[in-house]
Amino acid sequence: MNSKATLWGEVDEQGCLIFPPEMATQFSLQPGAKFRLEPDGNRIQMHRPVTHLTKVYIEPTDQCNITCRTCIRNAWNENLGRMTDATFERILESVRQLAPVPTIFFGGLGEPLFHKQTVAWIARAKTSGARVEMITNGTMLTEKRSRALIDAGLDVIWVSIDGATPESYADVRLGAELPKVIANLSRFRKMRRGSHRPRPEIGIAFVAMARNIHDLPEVLRLGRSLGAKHFSVSNVMPYTADMQAEMLYTHTLRDITYMNSPWHAKLSLPRMDINDKTQAAFMQALQSDYNINFAGNSLGGATDVCNFIEGGTASIGWDGGVSPCWPLMHNHTSYLHGKPHRSRRHVVGNVNERELLDIWLDEAYVTYRQKVQSFAFAPCTYCGGCELSEENEEDCFGNEFPACGGCLWAQGVIQCP
Protein backbone atom coordinates (compact mmCIF):
# COMPACT_ATOMS: atom_id res chain seq x y z
CA MET A 1 0.00 0.00 0.00
CA ASN A 2 1.39 3.38 -1.01
CA SER A 3 0.94 5.88 1.82
CA LYS A 4 2.85 8.71 0.13
CA ALA A 5 0.89 11.86 -0.56
CA THR A 6 0.49 12.66 -4.26
CA LEU A 7 2.02 15.97 -5.31
CA TRP A 8 0.99 17.66 -8.53
CA GLY A 9 2.92 20.10 -10.66
CA GLU A 10 1.53 22.12 -13.55
CA VAL A 11 2.64 24.01 -16.62
CA ASP A 12 1.67 27.66 -16.84
CA GLU A 13 0.68 29.57 -19.98
CA GLN A 14 4.30 30.39 -20.73
CA GLY A 15 5.23 26.70 -20.66
CA CYS A 16 7.05 26.95 -17.33
CA LEU A 17 6.88 24.03 -14.92
CA ILE A 18 5.43 24.94 -11.52
CA PHE A 19 6.33 22.75 -8.57
CA PRO A 20 4.13 22.38 -5.50
CA PRO A 21 5.43 24.53 -2.61
CA GLU A 22 6.34 21.49 -0.47
CA MET A 23 8.62 20.12 -3.18
CA ALA A 24 10.08 23.51 -4.01
CA THR A 25 11.07 23.95 -0.36
CA GLN A 26 12.36 20.40 0.04
CA PHE A 27 14.65 20.65 -2.99
CA SER A 28 15.53 24.34 -2.61
CA LEU A 29 13.92 25.23 -5.95
CA GLN A 30 14.26 28.96 -5.55
CA PRO A 31 13.85 31.45 -8.43
CA GLY A 32 16.86 31.18 -10.68
CA ALA A 33 17.92 27.73 -9.43
CA LYS A 34 19.26 25.47 -12.17
CA PHE A 35 18.87 21.72 -12.13
CA ARG A 36 19.50 18.86 -14.54
CA LEU A 37 16.62 16.90 -16.11
CA GLU A 38 17.12 13.41 -17.48
CA PRO A 39 14.55 11.43 -19.52
CA ASP A 40 13.93 7.96 -18.06
CA GLY A 41 11.33 6.06 -20.06
CA ASN A 42 7.93 7.50 -19.20
CA ARG A 43 9.43 9.57 -16.41
CA ILE A 44 11.70 12.56 -16.08
CA GLN A 45 14.43 12.34 -13.45
CA MET A 46 15.19 15.64 -11.77
CA HIS A 47 18.56 16.16 -10.13
CA ARG A 48 18.52 18.62 -7.25
CA PRO A 49 20.34 21.93 -7.83
CA VAL A 50 24.04 21.58 -7.05
CA THR A 51 23.68 24.71 -4.91
CA HIS A 52 21.37 22.85 -2.50
CA LEU A 53 23.26 21.75 0.63
CA THR A 54 21.25 18.95 2.24
CA LYS A 55 23.73 17.03 4.41
CA VAL A 56 26.90 17.91 6.30
CA TYR A 57 29.28 15.15 7.36
CA ILE A 58 31.30 16.19 10.39
CA GLU A 59 34.41 14.27 11.40
CA PRO A 60 34.97 14.92 15.13
CA THR A 61 38.25 12.98 15.00
CA ASP A 62 40.18 10.62 12.75
CA GLN A 63 41.33 8.65 15.79
CA CYS A 64 39.77 5.41 17.00
CA ASN A 65 39.80 3.12 20.02
CA ILE A 66 40.06 -0.14 18.02
CA THR A 67 41.89 -1.50 14.98
CA CYS A 68 40.01 -2.99 12.02
CA ARG A 69 41.32 -4.93 9.04
CA THR A 70 39.28 -2.66 6.79
CA CYS A 71 40.52 0.65 8.18
CA ILE A 72 42.18 3.31 6.07
CA ARG A 73 44.57 4.01 8.97
CA ASN A 74 46.38 0.74 8.19
CA ALA A 75 48.01 2.41 5.19
CA TRP A 76 48.37 6.14 5.74
CA ASN A 77 50.59 8.69 7.46
CA GLU A 78 48.01 11.41 8.02
CA ASN A 79 48.05 13.70 11.02
CA LEU A 80 45.66 12.53 13.72
CA GLY A 81 43.63 15.13 15.58
CA ARG A 82 40.34 16.26 17.04
CA MET A 83 37.96 19.03 16.06
CA THR A 84 37.85 22.07 18.34
CA ASP A 85 34.74 23.66 19.82
CA ALA A 86 35.45 26.78 17.80
CA THR A 87 35.51 24.84 14.53
CA PHE A 88 32.24 23.09 15.34
CA GLU A 89 30.55 26.37 16.26
CA ARG A 90 31.64 27.85 12.94
CA ILE A 91 29.92 24.96 11.16
CA LEU A 92 26.78 25.21 13.26
CA GLU A 93 26.53 28.96 12.70
CA SER A 94 26.40 28.40 8.93
CA VAL A 95 23.93 25.52 9.21
CA ARG A 96 21.51 27.72 11.14
CA GLN A 97 21.33 30.10 8.16
CA LEU A 98 19.94 27.46 5.81
CA ALA A 99 16.29 26.66 5.11
CA PRO A 100 15.57 23.83 5.15
CA VAL A 101 18.28 22.97 7.65
CA PRO A 102 20.55 20.19 6.32
CA THR A 103 21.03 16.84 8.03
CA ILE A 104 24.14 16.68 10.20
CA PHE A 105 25.99 13.35 10.23
CA PHE A 106 28.73 12.74 12.79
CA GLY A 107 31.16 10.31 11.20
CA GLY A 108 34.22 10.29 9.01
CA LEU A 109 37.34 8.17 9.31
CA GLY A 110 37.46 7.87 13.11
CA GLU A 111 35.21 6.89 16.01
CA PRO A 112 32.97 9.89 16.88
CA LEU A 113 32.56 8.83 20.51
CA PHE A 114 36.36 8.88 20.90
CA HIS A 115 35.91 12.67 21.03
CA LYS A 116 34.59 13.80 24.42
CA GLN A 117 32.54 16.64 22.91
CA THR A 118 30.58 14.67 20.30
CA VAL A 119 27.52 14.03 22.48
CA ALA A 120 27.34 17.70 23.49
CA TRP A 121 27.70 18.73 19.84
CA ILE A 122 24.82 16.47 18.88
CA ALA A 123 22.64 18.28 21.41
CA ARG A 124 23.82 21.63 20.03
CA ALA A 125 23.10 20.51 16.46
CA LYS A 126 19.55 19.55 17.39
CA THR A 127 18.87 23.11 18.56
CA SER A 128 19.28 24.20 14.92
CA GLY A 129 16.35 22.01 13.91
CA ALA A 130 18.59 19.59 12.00
CA ARG A 131 18.10 15.88 11.65
CA VAL A 132 21.19 14.38 13.31
CA GLU A 133 22.79 10.98 12.73
CA MET A 134 25.94 9.32 14.00
CA ILE A 135 27.91 6.17 13.19
CA THR A 136 29.85 4.28 15.85
CA ASN A 137 31.59 0.95 16.39
CA GLY A 138 29.40 0.52 19.48
CA THR A 139 32.20 -0.34 21.89
CA MET A 140 31.99 3.00 23.72
CA LEU A 141 28.18 3.04 23.96
CA THR A 142 28.08 2.97 27.75
CA GLU A 143 24.90 3.45 29.76
CA LYS A 144 25.87 7.05 30.54
CA ARG A 145 26.61 7.90 26.90
CA SER A 146 23.47 6.12 25.75
CA ARG A 147 21.31 8.23 28.05
CA ALA A 148 23.09 11.39 26.92
CA LEU A 149 22.63 10.56 23.23
CA ILE A 150 18.94 9.82 23.71
CA ASP A 151 18.41 13.01 25.70
CA ALA A 152 20.35 14.99 23.09
CA GLY A 153 17.71 14.10 20.51
CA LEU A 154 19.84 12.01 18.14
CA ASP A 155 17.64 10.81 15.27
CA VAL A 156 19.60 7.78 14.01
CA ILE A 157 22.51 5.83 15.45
CA TRP A 158 24.40 3.61 13.02
CA VAL A 159 26.41 0.73 14.49
CA SER A 160 29.03 -1.12 12.47
CA ILE A 161 28.71 -4.91 12.80
CA ASP A 162 30.90 -6.92 10.42
CA GLY A 163 30.35 -10.41 11.82
CA ALA A 164 27.58 -12.52 13.32
CA THR A 165 29.68 -14.58 15.72
CA PRO A 166 32.24 -13.45 18.30
CA GLU A 167 34.95 -15.15 16.24
CA SER A 168 34.07 -13.70 12.82
CA TYR A 169 33.45 -10.24 14.30
CA ALA A 170 36.78 -10.19 16.18
CA ASP A 171 38.51 -11.39 13.01
CA VAL A 172 37.58 -8.08 11.35
CA ARG A 173 37.32 -5.64 14.25
CA LEU A 174 40.50 -6.27 16.19
CA GLY A 175 40.25 -5.26 19.82
CA ALA A 176 36.44 -5.31 19.92
CA GLU A 177 34.03 -7.94 21.25
CA LEU A 178 30.67 -8.67 19.62
CA PRO A 179 28.89 -9.71 22.86
CA LYS A 180 29.79 -6.34 24.39
CA VAL A 181 28.54 -4.42 21.35
CA ILE A 182 25.29 -6.40 21.32
CA ALA A 183 24.84 -5.80 25.06
CA ASN A 184 25.48 -2.07 24.59
CA LEU A 185 23.04 -1.79 21.71
CA SER A 186 20.39 -3.90 23.46
CA ARG A 187 20.58 -1.62 26.51
CA PHE A 188 20.45 1.45 24.28
CA ARG A 189 17.30 0.14 22.62
CA LYS A 190 15.56 -0.44 25.95
CA MET A 191 16.52 2.99 27.28
CA ARG A 192 14.64 4.81 24.51
CA ARG A 193 11.30 6.32 25.37
CA GLY A 194 8.32 4.11 24.58
CA SER A 195 6.74 4.93 21.22
CA HIS A 196 5.50 3.37 18.02
CA ARG A 197 8.52 5.06 16.40
CA PRO A 198 11.16 5.28 19.14
CA ARG A 199 14.12 7.62 18.75
CA PRO A 200 16.94 7.36 18.03
CA GLU A 201 16.29 4.85 15.26
CA ILE A 202 18.93 2.14 14.94
CA GLY A 203 20.90 1.36 11.77
CA ILE A 204 23.33 -1.47 11.08
CA ALA A 205 26.31 -0.99 8.73
CA PHE A 206 28.04 -4.07 7.31
CA VAL A 207 31.25 -4.22 5.23
CA ALA A 208 31.12 -7.28 2.97
CA MET A 209 34.28 -9.32 2.40
CA ALA A 210 35.19 -12.82 1.31
CA ARG A 211 35.83 -13.72 4.95
CA ASN A 212 32.45 -12.56 6.29
CA ILE A 213 29.86 -12.48 3.49
CA HIS A 214 28.36 -15.74 4.76
CA ASP A 215 27.51 -13.88 7.99
CA LEU A 216 25.35 -11.26 6.26
CA PRO A 217 21.97 -13.07 6.63
CA GLU A 218 22.60 -13.60 10.34
CA VAL A 219 23.75 -9.99 10.81
CA LEU A 220 20.47 -8.86 9.25
CA ARG A 221 18.53 -11.11 11.62
CA LEU A 222 20.60 -9.88 14.55
CA GLY A 223 19.90 -6.29 13.58
CA ARG A 224 16.16 -6.92 13.43
CA SER A 225 16.26 -8.51 16.89
CA LEU A 226 17.96 -5.33 18.16
CA GLY A 227 15.25 -3.12 16.68
CA ALA A 228 17.22 -1.85 13.66
CA LYS A 229 15.18 0.04 11.04
CA HIS A 230 18.02 0.78 8.63
CA PHE A 231 20.65 -1.47 7.04
CA SER A 232 23.58 -0.44 4.86
CA VAL A 233 25.88 -2.96 3.15
CA SER A 234 29.08 -1.89 1.45
CA ASN A 235 31.93 -3.72 -0.22
CA VAL A 236 35.35 -3.41 1.32
CA MET A 237 37.80 -0.82 0.03
CA PRO A 238 41.25 -2.51 -0.16
CA TYR A 239 43.59 0.00 1.46
CA THR A 240 46.35 -2.63 1.73
CA ALA A 241 47.58 -5.15 -0.85
CA ASP A 242 46.47 -8.17 1.17
CA MET A 243 42.88 -6.86 1.41
CA GLN A 244 42.48 -7.35 -2.34
CA ALA A 245 41.79 -11.00 -1.60
CA GLU A 246 38.66 -9.90 0.30
CA MET A 247 37.07 -8.11 -2.68
CA LEU A 248 33.73 -9.42 -3.90
CA TYR A 249 33.50 -7.24 -7.01
CA THR A 250 36.38 -8.15 -9.33
CA HIS A 251 34.03 -9.04 -12.22
CA THR A 252 31.59 -6.30 -11.25
CA LEU A 253 34.15 -3.64 -12.15
CA ARG A 254 34.25 -5.07 -15.67
CA ASP A 255 30.51 -5.61 -15.97
CA ILE A 256 29.44 -2.08 -15.01
CA THR A 257 30.31 -0.84 -18.50
CA TYR A 258 27.30 -2.73 -19.86
CA MET A 259 24.72 -1.10 -17.61
CA ASN A 260 22.64 1.58 -19.31
CA SER A 261 24.80 1.27 -22.41
CA PRO A 262 23.16 2.23 -25.73
CA TRP A 263 25.15 -0.57 -27.39
CA HIS A 264 23.56 -3.43 -25.47
CA ALA A 265 20.12 -5.01 -25.51
CA LYS A 266 17.61 -4.29 -22.77
CA LEU A 267 16.27 -6.96 -20.46
CA SER A 268 13.20 -6.28 -18.34
CA LEU A 269 12.75 -8.63 -15.37
CA PRO A 270 9.67 -8.92 -13.14
CA ARG A 271 9.48 -9.46 -9.40
CA MET A 272 9.34 -13.16 -8.59
CA ASP A 273 9.97 -15.67 -5.85
CA ILE A 274 13.68 -16.26 -5.42
CA ASN A 275 13.95 -19.92 -4.47
CA ASP A 276 15.54 -23.20 -5.58
CA LYS A 277 13.57 -23.10 -8.83
CA THR A 278 14.38 -19.54 -9.86
CA GLN A 279 17.63 -18.52 -8.17
CA ALA A 280 20.13 -19.91 -10.69
CA ALA A 281 18.28 -18.59 -13.75
CA PHE A 282 17.60 -15.22 -12.14
CA MET A 283 21.24 -14.73 -11.16
CA GLN A 284 22.45 -15.68 -14.65
CA ALA A 285 20.07 -13.12 -16.12
CA LEU A 286 21.41 -10.43 -13.78
CA GLN A 287 24.97 -11.27 -14.78
CA SER A 288 24.27 -11.19 -18.51
CA ASP A 289 25.52 -8.42 -20.77
CA TYR A 290 22.20 -6.58 -20.87
CA ASN A 291 20.86 -3.31 -19.62
CA ILE A 292 18.79 -4.69 -16.74
CA ASN A 293 15.42 -3.25 -15.73
CA PHE A 294 13.95 -4.92 -12.65
CA ALA A 295 10.28 -4.33 -11.83
CA GLY A 296 10.37 -1.00 -13.62
CA ASN A 297 13.65 0.20 -12.10
CA SER A 298 16.98 0.35 -13.89
CA LEU A 299 19.77 -1.54 -12.13
CA GLY A 300 22.35 0.49 -14.03
CA GLY A 301 21.49 3.73 -12.27
CA ALA A 302 24.29 3.35 -9.73
CA THR A 303 27.11 3.67 -12.29
CA ASP A 304 28.93 6.96 -12.88
CA VAL A 305 26.85 8.62 -10.16
CA CYS A 306 28.45 10.40 -7.21
CA ASN A 307 25.90 10.10 -4.43
CA PHE A 308 27.82 12.66 -2.40
CA ILE A 309 27.26 15.26 -5.13
CA GLU A 310 23.77 14.01 -6.04
CA GLY A 311 22.83 14.12 -2.37
CA GLY A 312 24.03 17.70 -1.89
CA THR A 313 26.57 16.81 0.79
CA ALA A 314 29.72 18.42 2.17
CA SER A 315 32.32 16.59 4.25
CA ILE A 316 34.23 18.48 6.93
CA GLY A 317 37.37 17.02 8.46
CA TRP A 318 38.42 17.44 12.07
CA ASP A 319 40.67 20.36 11.09
CA GLY A 320 37.80 22.25 9.41
CA GLY A 321 38.78 21.38 5.85
CA VAL A 322 35.77 21.08 3.53
CA SER A 323 35.89 18.29 0.94
CA PRO A 324 33.31 17.16 -1.63
CA CYS A 325 33.14 13.64 -0.18
CA TRP A 326 34.54 11.17 2.35
CA PRO A 327 37.08 9.65 -0.11
CA LEU A 328 38.70 13.07 -0.66
CA MET A 329 38.93 14.03 3.01
CA HIS A 330 42.37 12.49 3.47
CA ASN A 331 45.36 11.43 1.39
CA HIS A 332 45.31 7.66 1.02
CA THR A 333 46.24 4.71 -1.15
CA SER A 334 43.88 1.93 -2.20
CA TYR A 335 44.18 -0.81 -4.81
CA LEU A 336 42.50 -0.85 -8.22
CA HIS A 337 43.08 -3.63 -10.76
CA GLY A 338 45.95 -4.99 -8.68
CA LYS A 339 47.83 -1.69 -8.62
CA PRO A 340 48.14 1.04 -5.98
CA HIS A 341 45.78 3.95 -6.60
CA ARG A 342 46.89 7.12 -4.83
CA SER A 343 44.21 9.66 -3.96
CA ARG A 344 45.30 13.14 -2.97
CA ARG A 345 43.15 15.05 -0.51
CA HIS A 346 40.94 17.72 -2.05
CA VAL A 347 40.04 20.62 0.25
CA VAL A 348 37.98 23.42 -1.26
CA GLY A 349 38.15 25.66 1.81
CA ASN A 350 38.37 25.70 5.60
CA VAL A 351 35.52 26.78 7.88
CA ASN A 352 38.04 28.39 10.22
CA GLU A 353 38.96 30.80 7.43
CA ARG A 354 35.73 31.18 5.43
CA GLU A 355 32.03 30.69 6.08
CA LEU A 356 30.75 27.27 5.07
CA LEU A 357 28.10 28.82 2.81
CA ASP A 358 30.72 31.00 1.14
CA ILE A 359 32.79 27.88 0.43
CA TRP A 360 29.75 25.91 -0.74
CA LEU A 361 28.63 28.60 -3.20
CA ASP A 362 32.13 29.42 -4.45
CA GLU A 363 31.91 29.56 -8.25
CA ALA A 364 34.78 27.11 -8.78
CA TYR A 365 33.28 24.60 -6.32
CA VAL A 366 29.82 24.85 -7.92
CA THR A 367 31.38 24.28 -11.34
CA TYR A 368 33.22 21.24 -10.00
CA ARG A 369 30.00 19.75 -8.64
CA GLN A 370 28.30 20.28 -12.00
CA LYS A 371 31.19 18.48 -13.67
CA VAL A 372 30.97 15.53 -11.29
CA GLN A 373 27.21 15.34 -11.74
CA SER A 374 27.69 14.81 -15.48
CA PHE A 375 30.61 12.46 -14.69
CA ALA A 376 32.60 12.94 -17.88
CA PHE A 377 35.65 11.16 -16.44
CA ALA A 378 37.71 8.36 -17.95
CA PRO A 379 36.35 4.86 -17.12
CA CYS A 380 39.30 3.89 -14.91
CA THR A 381 37.27 1.42 -12.83
CA TYR A 382 36.58 -0.54 -16.01
CA CYS A 383 39.81 0.03 -17.88
CA GLY A 384 42.61 0.75 -15.43
CA GLY A 385 45.15 0.13 -18.17
CA CYS A 386 47.39 3.19 -18.04
CA GLU A 387 49.57 4.88 -15.47
CA LEU A 388 47.11 7.78 -15.19
CA SER A 389 44.67 5.46 -13.41
CA GLU A 390 47.17 5.06 -10.57
CA GLU A 391 46.44 8.55 -9.21
CA ASN A 392 43.56 11.04 -9.10
CA GLU A 393 45.73 13.80 -10.56
CA GLU A 394 44.49 13.61 -14.18
CA ASP A 395 42.95 11.19 -16.67
CA CYS A 396 43.18 10.37 -20.37
CA PHE A 397 40.09 12.51 -21.10
CA GLY A 398 42.02 15.62 -20.11
CA ASN A 399 40.40 16.03 -16.68
CA GLU A 400 42.70 17.52 -14.06
CA PHE A 401 42.80 17.01 -10.29
CA PRO A 402 40.68 15.64 -8.81
CA ALA A 403 39.94 13.07 -11.52
CA CYS A 404 37.17 10.81 -10.23
CA GLY A 405 37.19 8.03 -12.84
CA GLY A 406 38.69 5.53 -10.40
CA CYS A 407 36.15 6.16 -7.63
CA LEU A 408 34.35 3.01 -6.48
CA TRP A 409 31.73 5.06 -4.63
CA ALA A 410 30.62 6.47 -7.99
CA GLN A 411 30.10 2.94 -9.32
CA GLY A 412 27.85 1.86 -6.45
CA VAL A 413 30.50 -0.58 -5.21
CA ILE A 414 31.39 1.24 -1.99
CA GLN A 415 28.75 3.16 -0.06
CA CYS A 416 28.35 4.98 3.23
CA PRO A 417 25.21 5.34 5.40
Side-chain angles (χ1 to χ4, degrees), residues 22-249:
E22 304 95 320
M23 182 174 290
T25 299
Q26 180 181 353
F27 289 94
S28 191
L29 300 176
Q30 302 170 354
K34 295 182 179 180
F35 52 88
R36 186 161 62 96
L37 297 176
E38 189 174 356
D40 183 14
N42 295 323
R43 298 172 293 185
I44 297 176
Q45 184 178 8
M46 184 194 80
H47 299 258
R48 72 174 73 247
V50 295
T51 52
H52 184 197
L53 179 58
T54 67
K55 191 172 187 177
V56 178
Y57 288 102
I58 296 178
E59 180 184 67
T61 179
D62 59 356
Q63 298 172 311
C64 191
N65 63 314
I66 64 174
T67 302
C68 299
R69 292 185 184 275
T70 58
C71 187
I72 191 174
R73 282 182 298 278
N74 293 326
W76 72 346
N77 295 310
E78 288 282 278
N79 293 327
L80 300 179
R82 305 188 181 199
M83 184 173 286
T84 65
D85 281 306
T87 298
F88 174 75
E89 288 299 328
R90 291 273 296 180
I91 299 169
L92 189 59
E93 180 181 350
S94 291
V95 167
R96 292 182 188 277
Q97 300 174 30
L98 292 169
V101 178
T103 294
I104 296 178
F105 190 106
F106 288 88
L109 302 180
E111 166 55 49
L113 293 180
F114 203 53
H115 194 305
K116 64 180 181 180
Q117 289 296 100
T118 296
V119 177
W121 289 348
I122 289 173
R124 292 275 294 140
K126 285 300 298 181
T127 65
S128 70
R131 174 183 172 85
V132 181
E133 303 184 25
M134 181 191 75
I135 189 167
T136 176
N137 59 41
T139 61
M140 302 181 70
L141 201 59
T142 63
E143 182 174 359
K144 181 178 179 180
R145 286 197 184 94
S146 294
R147 173 51 58 200
L149 287 168
I150 293 169
D151 291 345
L154 181 67
D155 292 286
V156 182
I157 183 169
W158 289 89
V159 180
S160 297
I161 299 181
D162 297 330
T165 68
E167 294 76 18
S168 61
Y169 176 89
D171 184 48
V172 176
R173 296 192 165 265
L174 312 180
E177 300 175 355
L178 181 60
K180 179 180 179 181
V181 172
I182 293 176
N184 288 347
L185 191 51
S186 178
R187 180 180 58 221
F188 182 91
R189 179 193 184 191
K190 295 175 182 177
M191 291 175 65
R192 298 179 301 176
R193 298 177 181 87
S195 169
H196 291 298
R197 300 184 63 183
R199 287 288 193 275
E201 293 181 342
I202 295 171
I204 301 297
F206 179 87
V207 177
M209 295 171 276
R211 69 174 61 226
N212 74 346
I213 188 61
H214 59 277
D215 274 13
L216 178 56
E218 187 57 35
V219 168
L220 297 178
R221 285 190 287 269
L222 174 62
R224 289 293 296 272
S225 72
L226 292 169
K229 298 295 183 183
H230 309 277
F231 294 86
S232 176
V233 179
S234 175
N235 282 292
V236 67
M237 172 63 90
Y239 293 114
T240 58
D242 61 314
M243 288 302 292
Q244 294 178 91
E246 301 293 339
M247 294 166 50
L248 299 173
Y249 48 90

Side-chain angles (χ1 to χ4, degrees), residues 9 17 34 192 270 284 339 377-378 386 393 417:
L17 181 61
K34 295 182 179 180
R192 298 179 301 176
Q284 288 183 41
K339 300 181 295 183
F377 297 102
C386 71
E393 297 294 336

